[in-house]
Amino acid sequence: MAPSKLIIFNIVASKKIGLGHIYRAISIAELMQPAFNSIIFCKRPHYDYCLKIFPKYKKIRSYTNQENFFQQLEEIGPGLVINDVLSTSKDYMRKLKNKKFPIINFEDLGAGSILANTVLNELYDSPLNSNTNALWGHKYYLLRDEFLKKKPPIFKKKVTGILITLGGTDQNNFSLLALNQVMKLSELKKIKVYVVIGAGYSYFKNLKKAIGQYQKSGSDIELIYHTGKMSQIMSKCQIGIASNGRTVYELCYMRIPSIILSHHKRELGHSFADPQRGFLPLGTYKKGITEKKIRDGVEKLVLDQAFRKQLYCNNAKVRFNQNKKNLKKLILEIINDELQ
C-alpha cells in the first residue's frame, strides 16, 4: 500500500502563545514539497488569528471541536499527522492513535506525548522526561532556507548594529522595554538600532511614538514590521536582544551574541541560550532588575571586544547544516515504517 501524500498539521497560534507553531508548520510543509501536500488545521479562534496574520496562505482550515477534527481526518486520510499544540492529553492521543495514522508531535511535554511515534522537542536541549520516543535538542531544529542560503558574517571589531526582536506577538511589549534601555547608553549614539516586530504585535503606536522621539534627538533607529528577510537584517548587526524561542537558533547561526528574555515559564525551559553557545540569558522579567541587566549586558557587549568575540566563537561551534536533511529523512521513515 502506497503511503498517502498528505500531511496534516494540528497547531495553536495566538497573541499569548505566539506564532512559532504556524511558522514551523509552514517550514516543514515547504520542506516536504513537492512529494507531499500539507494542510494546517487549528481550532477557532486560533484559525481566525492565523488567517489574519497569513491571509494569503490558503492551506489553513479550522475545526470546531475534537470530534469535528477527527471527522475531517477520516475524510482526508493523511499519511501523517503532526501535532504542534504544546502539551497533548492521553485522551486526544488515544483517539488519534486509533485512527491508525502515523503521528509526530513537536514541543510536547504532555501526558499524551508517549503515544506518538516520535516527539521532537527541538527547543529543549536537556531531556525533561524519560520517554523513549522523544528526541531532544537543537540538532532537530529546522533552520529556514533564507538562513541556510546566507553565509554567517565574519567577526567585526566595532559594533555598528544592534537587533531588537522579541517574537511575533511580543505579548509583554519587551520591544519597547529593550529599546528604552539601549537608548540610555551614550556609547550607542553612533550605532544603528534595528527593531523588528511581528505580525501579531499590538503595541505598534506606542513603540512608533517612542522611536520618533529618539530619532528627533539624533538616534539612528529603523523599525521593521513583519519582515520576511530576517537574515538580511541580522547580517547588519553584531549584537542582539531577543526572546527565547526560534529566533535564538537563527541568531546562533548568524553568530550574533545576544541577550535573551523569556516571556513566560515555558520559554524559560528552553535551555539552548547559554554563554557556551554565545548568549546571555536573563530569564523572565523582574521589574527594575531586568532593565539593569539589559543595560549592563549591552554595554559589556559593545565595549568589551574580547568578551563579544568569545561569545561569537561559541555561536560558531553549533552547526545546523545537516538538520534539514536529517529531519526530512526522519519524517519519511515514520510515514513509510507505519505502513509496512
Side-chain angles (χ1 to χ4, degrees), residues 10-29:
N10 183 22
I11 64 110
V12 289
S14 68
K15 180 180 177 181
K16 183 178 180 180
I17 295 170
L19 300 172
H21 304 274
I22 190 168
Y23 279 123
R24 178 159 48 205
I26 292 173
S27 295
I28 295 173

Side-chain angles (χ1 to χ4, degrees), residues 123 141 242-250 260-261 267 270 272:
L123 300 183
Y141 179 77
S243 54
N244 197 7
R246 294 162 55 91
T247 305
V248 169
Y249 300 88
E250 297 167 353
I260 305 301
L261 284 74
E267 267 193 11
H270 301 168
F272 178 81

Side-chain angles (χ1 to χ4, degrees), residues 61-77:
R61 297 186 187 179
S62 69
Y63 58 90
T64 54
N65 52 43
Q66 195 178 100
E67 183 179 346
N68 179 238
F69 177 60
F70 288 138
Q71 181 182 354
Q72 293 190 61
L73 287 187
E74 288 280 7
E75 294 170 356
I76 292 171

